[in-house]
Amino acid sequence: MMWLGVDYYPEQWDPGRMEEDLDTIVDLGCNVIRIAEFAWHRMEQSEGAYDFSFFDGAIAQAKRRGLKVILGTPTAAIPAWLARKRPDILSEFEGGRRRAFGGRHVCCYNSPALYEYSEKIIRRMVEHYRDEEAVIAWQADNELGHEGSDLCWCPRCRSAFRKYLEEKFRGDIEALNETYGTAFWSQEYNCFEEIPLPEETITTHNPALRLDWERFRSKSIGDFLAFQVRLIKETAPGAVVIHDFPGGGLDKHVDYAAAARPLDIAAYNNYPVWGGQKAPLPPHAIAFELDYIRGLKRRNFWITEAIMGAQGHDVTGYLPRPGQAKLWSYQAMAHGCEAMLYFRFRGAAKGAEQFCYGILDADNRRGRKFAEVQSFFADIRQYEKAMTAPARSEVAIVYDYDSLAAFRIQRQSILLDCHEEMKKLYKLFYDRNVPVDVIPAEADLRGYKVVILPQLLLVKPAFQARVRAFAEGGGTLVLTYRTAVKDEDNNLPIGEAPPVGFRELAGVTVEETESLQEAEAFSLLGQGDFAGREGRGGIFRDMLSVQDAEILYRYGDAFYEDRAAVTRRRQGAGNVYYLGCGLDEGTAAGLAEAILKERGIETLSSPEGVEIVDRGAGEDAVRLYLNHNGHAVFAGGKELAAYGCRIERRAAPRT
C-alpha cells in the first residue's frame, strides 16, 4: 500500500480549525496523517493523569474522511512537570553542564527515569489505541541521535560505560589494559572505576577507549529504541513499528543499521536543504542518503518528513524553486520510498519551528506548494505497483560503523571525510544511471556483481571471510586506501602490513603511506589497459608493492615512481581492485567505466543533471526521467521541464 500524507499537529492550533484542516488534507489527496509525536503533555498533563480524548477526537474526524493514522510515541520531548520532578533525567554536555529543559532530545538514554516514565506513557497509549483500525503504524520516538543527542557525559553514562567495559572484558581489568595498551603514558587501570570518559584533555585519549565509547553511545540509543519496539509489540501484537531517521546518519555516534534491526520499516526525514545553506545538496548526494536509508534494512522505506517550503529554526534556508521539492519527492520514490508524508501540513505560527514552512503557510492560503503536492499525489498513485516493488541494484557500497568511528577518533588527513569519499564513489555510478545499494558490513553480499569497500579501516575476520568468498565466487571487489589497517580494538596489528587479511586477495602490500593535505597533490601515470592516460591523486596515498596484480597506475613523482598507485588482480570471473590514493574524478570515472563494462552492467546515458531510474517489473515497469536542472532539457527524446519528472511505462531495455 502506498501511503501519501502530511504531518499534522492539531494540538498546536485552535481545535475549531480541525474539521476544515482535515477537509483540506483530503482535498490535497492524502490517505494518512502522522500525529502525536510531540504531544506528551497533551496526553499526560500531570503525572498519571492520562487523557487521550483530544487525539480520540482527531482520529475520529480523520476516520470519517477515510484517513489512516501514524501515531508517534511522544518521548522525544518530555513534559515540564517531569523535568521538574526528575531533573536527573536530563543529559549533560561535556564538562558536566546539564542540558536545560526547553528543547527536544534533552534526556539521557541511560536514565532509569527516562525508561520508567516512557514505559508508562507508551503502555497506556498503546493499550488505548491497540484496537483502533485507523492506526496503520507506530513511530517510536523521533530522530534518535539527532542534534547532538547522541552524546551525554553525565554520571549515569559514566557508570554505565564502566559497566559496559566490565561486561565486555568479563571483569578482567588486565585484559582491558592489554587490549588498550595502557602501558603507554602510564594509563594502566587497577579497576574499572578508574576508567575515565574521553572528555577534553591535553593531546588525546586512548584510541581503543574512544572506540569503545563510540560503541557504548550507539548501544545506549539502540537499546532505547529496541525497548520501545518491544513494548509496543508486547502491548499490541502485530503492530507495525517505524522510526524516522534524520539525515547524515553516517556521521552520528550511533549505528543506525544496528538500531533499525527491531523495526518493521525504516523511515527517513528528507531535507535536501536546511537553514543557512546557499543551495541544496547535489542530486547525487540526495540520492546517496536515500539509498543509505533503504540499505538500513535492505528494503523499501518511508519518508515521514518531506520538504516543500523553506526550512530553518533560527536561520531560514533556501526556498526550493517551483517544482524542485516536488522533484525530490519523485527522486525519493525512484530510490525505494513507498510512503511519502510532508512536513508539515501548515507551518508553525508559534514555537521554535516558525521558519520551517509547510504546504500551507501561516496565512492558511492554498498556493503553489499546495498545488505541487496535490499534483504529485495524483500522479504518483498511478504507479503504485512499480513504486512499491523492491528496488534492485547490482552494485553495493559497504560501510562499517566502527571504521567510521575510528576515523572520527583519528582523522589521519584533514581532507579525509569518509562520508564524502563514499559519495564521490557513488557519483561515478549515479552519473551513469547505475543503481547502487549503500549497505552496512553486516549485510549479505550475495547477488551483487560489484562491491566497494571505501576506507574500511578496521580488520574484522568474519567480514573479511565473506568478502573473500564474494571475490572468489566471481564478484568484483574494490578496496581503497586506508582499508584493513587496524584491528577491531583500533590498534595496529604487530607483524602485519596493510591491507591486513587482504594482501593475498589484492596481490599487493602497502609498504609505506602518507597523508596529503591536497586533493590533487601528485601525478598518476596509466599502465597496461590505461597506458597513455594521466591523472592526479591526493588526500592519502599508499606506496604499493605488487606481488600478484596488474599495475593500472603508477605514481608520477620521482621518489615513488617504482610504487603502484592503482592495481587490479584477476580473481576467477571477477577482479580485485586496489585504489591506493584519492583519485581525480576523471581517473576514477575511467576505472568505473572499466568495471561496469567487464561485469556487463548496463548503463544509461543522459544529459548532465538528468537522472534516469527504472522501477518495477513486467507490465508494471516504469522509467523515471528526473531533471535536476533549473532549465529544460531533452531526455529520452522529449523535452523535460526545469525540475520536471516524466514517468514512462514499460521502460526500454537498458543500453
Side-chain angles (χ1 to χ4, degrees):
M1 179 70 179
M2 181 185 289
W3 299 109
L4 304 171
V6 293
D7 302 316
Y8 183 47
Y9 302 99
E11 70 276 12
Q12 297 178 16
W13 304 99
D14 182 336
R17 289 190 177 276
M18 193 183 303
E19 288 202 42
E20 178 186 342
D21 283 351
L22 290 170
D23 286 341
T24 303
I25 287 169
V26 171
D27 288 348
L28 191 61
C30 299
N31 58 12
V32 68
I33 55 174
R34 184 180 67 149
I35 61 174
E37 61 176 339
F38 290 116
W40 190 330
H41 186 269
R42 183 57 59 105
M43 294 180 282
E44 189 184 8
Q45 294 189 15
S46 59
E47 185 175 358
Y50 300 104
D51 182 357
F52 301 104
S53 60
F54 179 83
F55 289 106
D56 290 347
I59 292 172
Q61 293 268 27
K63 284 173 66 176
R64 281 199 286 274
R65 293 163 173 81
L67 293 168
K68 298 296 185 182
V69 173
I70 298 170
L71 275 178
T73 67
T75 49
I78 63 172
W81 60 260
L82 178 53
R84 181 185 180 194
K85 179 177 181 178
R86 295 294 301 271
D88 59 308
I89 202 172
L90 298 172
S91 58
E92 293 186 6
F93 294 104
E94 186 175 357
R97 184 165 54 92
R98 181 175 287 168
R99 291 182 172 118
F101 174 82
R104 59 180 178 179
H105 305 125
V106 295
C107 292
C108 169
Y109 294 109
N110 288 294
S111 166
L114 176 62
Y115 274 82
E116 176 188 353
Y117 285 90
S118 294
E119 179 168 2
K120 289 177 181 178
I121 184 65
I122 293 170
R123 190 177 294 280
R124 290 297 293 267
M125 189 178 178
V126 180
E127 286 174 348
H128 186 80
Y129 290 114
R130 64 184 170 192
D131 297 321
E132 175 52 70
E133 62 182 5
V135 176
I136 53 106
W138 287 84
Q139 177 184 296
D141 207 273
N142 167 272
E143 294 187 326
L144 284 164
H146 195 32
E147 300 167 328
S149 62
D150 49 359
L151 289 175
C152 175
W153 306 89
C154 73
R156 293 174 303 279
C157 286
R158 184 184 304 274
S159 296
F161 180 50
R162 289 168 173 167
K163 182 179 179 182
Y164 169 83
L165 294 176
E166 189 167 10
E167 291 176 354
K168 174 178 177 176
F169 291 99
R170 300 181 180 180
D172 188 347
I173 194 66
E174 289 309 318
L176 180 145
N177 283 324
E178 175 62 26
T179 298
Y180 285 10
T182 53
F184 185 80
W185 283 349
S186 188
Q187 291 176 350
E188 292 99 333
Y189 303 110
N190 294 321
C191 63
F192 287 91
E193 290 303 306
E194 293 179 354
I195 297 172
L197 298 185
E199 297 178 272
E200 185 177 3
T201 188
I202 292 177
T203 63
T204 184
H205 282 274
N206 185 297
L209 172 73
R210 293 175 69 187
L211 180 57
D212 274 340
W213 170 249
E214 294 274 349
R215 290 164 170 159
F216 166 74
R217 293 312 322 169
S218 180
K219 183 177 184 298
S220 298
I221 291 177
D223 285 351
F224 185 63
L225 181 56
F227 151 77
Q228 292 212 24
V229 176
R230 286 195 304 271
L231 184 56
I232 292 168
K233 288 184 174 287
E234 284 172 8
T235 310
V240 173
V241 184
I242 70 172
H243 176 72
D244 59 329
F245 292 96
L250 290 172
D251 299 322
K252 306 291 187 188
H253 300 275
V254 53
D255 181 353
Y256 281 153
R261 284 176 197 143
L263 299 172
D264 295 296
I265 297 168
Y268 180 46
N269 296 341
N270 186 29
Y271 290 92
V273 67
W274 187 252
Q277 287 179 236
K278 293 181 179 179
L281 295 174
H284 79 275
I286 302 170
F288 177 92
E289 299 296 338
L290 296 167
D291 289 337
Y292 160 73
I293 291 295
R294 192 181 71 249
L296 294 182
K297 295 188 72 67
R298 295 191 73 195
R299 59 164 293 181
N300 289 356
F301 59 97
W302 292 4
I303 284 183
T304 35
E305 295 182 18
I307 186 174
M308 182 48 65
Q311 301 291 311
H313 287 172
D314 299 323
V315 178
T316 306
Y318 166 104
L319 174 65
R321 303 309 184 232
Q324 193 171 24
K326 181 180 176 181
L327 178 67
W328 294 332
S329 298
Y330 280 114
Q331 185 184 32
M333 289 292 187
H335 286 265
C337 172
E338 60 182 31
M340 176 72 67
L341 289 87
Y342 284 91
F343 183 88
R344 44 192 281 168
F345 167 64
R346 183 191 297 109
K350 302 175 182 179
E353 293 185 346
Q354 296 174 39
F355 298 132
C356 294
Y357 291 96
I359 296 170
L360 301 184
D361 295 331
D363 60 16
N364 213 39
R365 292 186 297 110
R366 299 185 184 189
R368 174 188 63 82
K369 294 180 293 179
F370 184 95
E372 284 193 20
V373 174
Q374 189 177 51
S375 66
F376 170 74
F377 282 167
D379 185 33
I380 202 66
R381 62 172 27 105
Q382 300 176 66
Y383 309 101
E384 180 172 349
K385 288 185 178 180
M387 298 305 164
T388 55
R392 303 184 186 281
S393 305
E394 296 178 306
V395 179
I397 292 177
V398 178
Y399 63 90
D400 171 54
Y401 170 78
D402 287 346
S403 291
L404 293 171
F407 276 109
R408 285 196 294 272
I409 293 163
Q410 295 172 307
R411 188 172 178 183
Q412 303 177 52
S413 168
I414 61 172
L415 292 183
L416 180 52
D417 181 326
C418 295
H419 193 173
E420 288 301 315
E421 290 305 299
M422 276 187 269
K423 286 190 280 191
K424 287 180 187 176
L425 292 167
Y426 177 92
K427 186 175 185 294
L428 300 174
F429 299 92
Y430 173 90
D431 286 347
R432 288 149 184 81
N433 296 301
V434 174
V436 177
D437 285 349
V438 181
I439 58 175
E442 297 76 21
D444 190 349
L445 303 180
R446 291 175 297 182
Y448 294 110
K449 291 183 176 180
V450 178
V451 167
I452 304 165
L453 310 184
Q455 286 85 43
L456 263 69
L457 187 74
L458 303 189
V459 176
K460 297 188 174 183
F463 171 70
Q464 288 189 316
R466 292 194 292 115
V467 169
R468 282 193 295 272
F470 167 79
E472 290 165 0
T476 290
L477 179 68
V478 182
L479 306 175
T480 74
Y481 62 97
R482 308 316 283 161
T483 290
V485 175
K486 305 186 83 175
D487 65 19
E488 291 186 79
D489 294 304
N490 209 14
N491 299 315
L492 294 172
I494 296 295
E496 294 275 9
V500 177
F502 282 145
R503 290 198 306 274
E504 183 178 350
L505 188 66
V508 299
T509 299
V510 178
E511 297 290 349
E512 295 182 272
T513 190
E514 71 171 334
S515 167
L516 285 305
Q517 312 313 319
E518 294 180 56
E520 297 184 6
F522 47 79
S523 62
L524 298 168
L525 303 177
Q527 310 288 303
D529 293 348
F530 295 87
R533 299 193 192 188
E534 295 185 11
R536 302 291 295 178
I539 301 179
F540 230 98
R541 68 168 160 182
D542 293 340
M543 313 306 177
L544 301 177
S545 67
V546 176
Q547 289 81 53
D548 179 22
E550 303 170 70
I551 299 174
L552 304 183
Y553 282 92
R554 289 187 182 276
Y555 294 115
D557 49 336
F559 288 107
Y560 301 113
E561 61 186 2
D562 62 330
R563 294 302 184 193
V566 179
T567 62
R568 175 174 62 197
R569 179 176 180 269
R570 301 205 180 274
Q571 178 73 39
N575 289 302
V576 178
Y577 287 79
Y578 193 97
L579 313 184
C581 60
L583 303 173
D584 70 89
E585 188 169 358
T587 301
L591 288 167
E593 288 166 359
I595 290 169
L596 291 168
K597 184 177 180 180
E598 69 192 21
R599 295 321 315 268
I601 296 175
E602 297 174 319
T603 63
L604 285 170
S605 61
S606 60
E608 175 119 12
V610 174
E611 178 181 358
I612 304 175
V613 183
D614 290 339
R615 291 299 312 278
E619 63 182 20
D620 298 317
V622 298
R623 174 167 290 173
L624 294 91
Y625 294 85
L626 304 160
N627 181 16
H628 295 280
N629 297 295
H631 55 81
V633 296
F634 275 87
K638 299 177 183 177
E639 186 174 80
L640 195 54
Y643 302 125
C645 174
R646 185 174 74 250
I647 303 178
E648 295 179 353
R649 291 193 179 275
R650 300 189 181 183
R654 297 173 70 86
T655 57

